Amino acid sequence: MPTTPATAANSSSNGTGEAILLELVDEGGRTIGTAEKLAAHQPPGQLHRAFSVFLFDERGRLLLQQRALGKYHSPGVWSNTCCGHPYPGEAPFAAAARRTFEELGVSPSLMAEAGTVRYNHPDPESGLVEQEFNHLFVGMVQAPLDPDPEEVGETAFVTAAELAERHAKDPFSAWFMTVLDAARPAVRELTGPATGW
């Protein structure tokens, strides 16, 4: 993946071992400062910029990932293809593409913006809070996956009907349905009406 000033300054490989910073925003999504990642998620949470990616295969199936058991926040639960936080100064689109490659070893195709959504979701297991201004992206996955086991436990491609069944029995991230529902108009435009999204 290309290196930008934002990614270079925040890369864990730069040898500094500095804390990861998130971009704090106001209710309109305007940057107002930064906060350390874990501190931003401590109750009651600080509103910060995030992104969520929804990638589909050629059959219109959504790629889900199960978050690795070692993650500090929402481990072991299923969620959308990829989600995370831009580094301060990093464009959300660039962050979404970067993080998708880091977690799943694949670059999205035809990725497009799908709006934003603001939410406040406490995680009952960890006690952490997601106060996020989330940028949504939809696209295609057209190459074999190579997931990073430190980030991803499992992956699955599901139809809309299969997702409904899975969501009824498996644990999902607290924010999953909020971001999916907000992205649905763009998802339908990408996958077509026959897929049922």
Side-chain angles (χ1 to χ4, degrees), residues 24-41:
L24 300 180
V25 299
D26 64 15
E27 292 291 338
R30 291 173 290 268
T31 303
I32 58 172
T34 60
E36 191 275 324
K37 184 177 179 180
L38 186 57
H41 291 88

Side-chain angles (χ1 to χ4, degrees), residues 72-134:
Y72 80 97
H73 189 351
S74 302
V77 302
W78 288 90
S79 200
N80 49 292
T81 307
C82 181
C83 52
H85 310 92
Y87 295 130
E90 184 182 22
F93 186 95
R98 170 183 59 78
R99 198 68 188 132
T100 300
F101 184 81
E102 290 172 354
E103 291 188 6
L104 295 161
V106 66
S107 295
S109 303
L110 305 174
M111 193 167 74
E113 296 181 11
T116 60
V117 63
R118 192 265 194 248
Y119 52 78
N120 174 6
H121 284 304
D123 175 36
E125 294 295 320
S126 68
L128 300 174
V129 178
E130 288 289 6
Q131 286 268 16
E132 294 189 329
F133 187 93
N134 198 304

Side-chain angles (χ1 to χ4, degrees), residues 111-162:
M111 193 167 74
E113 296 181 11
T116 60
V117 63
R118 192 265 194 248
Y119 52 78
N120 174 6
H121 284 304
D123 175 36
E125 294 295 320
S126 68
L128 300 174
V129 178
E130 288 289 6
Q131 286 268 16
E132 294 189 329
F133 187 93
N134 198 304
H135 298 256
L136 308 172
F137 299 95
V138 300
M140 305 289 293
V141 58
Q142 297 176 310
L145 303 177
D146 183 20
D148 178 351
E150 292 189 11
E151 299 288 344
V152 180
E154 291 184 52
T155 60
F157 284 96
V158 296
T159 65
E162 289 166 345

Side-chain angles (χ1 to χ4, degrees), residues 58-80:
E58 69 284 350
R59 293 167 50 191
R61 298 181 304 168
L62 172 61
L63 172 58
L64 298 177
Q65 73 152 277
Q66 184 184 41
R67 294 166 63 84
L69 291 175
K71 293 182 79 74
Y72 80 97
H73 189 351
S74 302
V77 302
W78 288 90
S79 200
N80 49 292

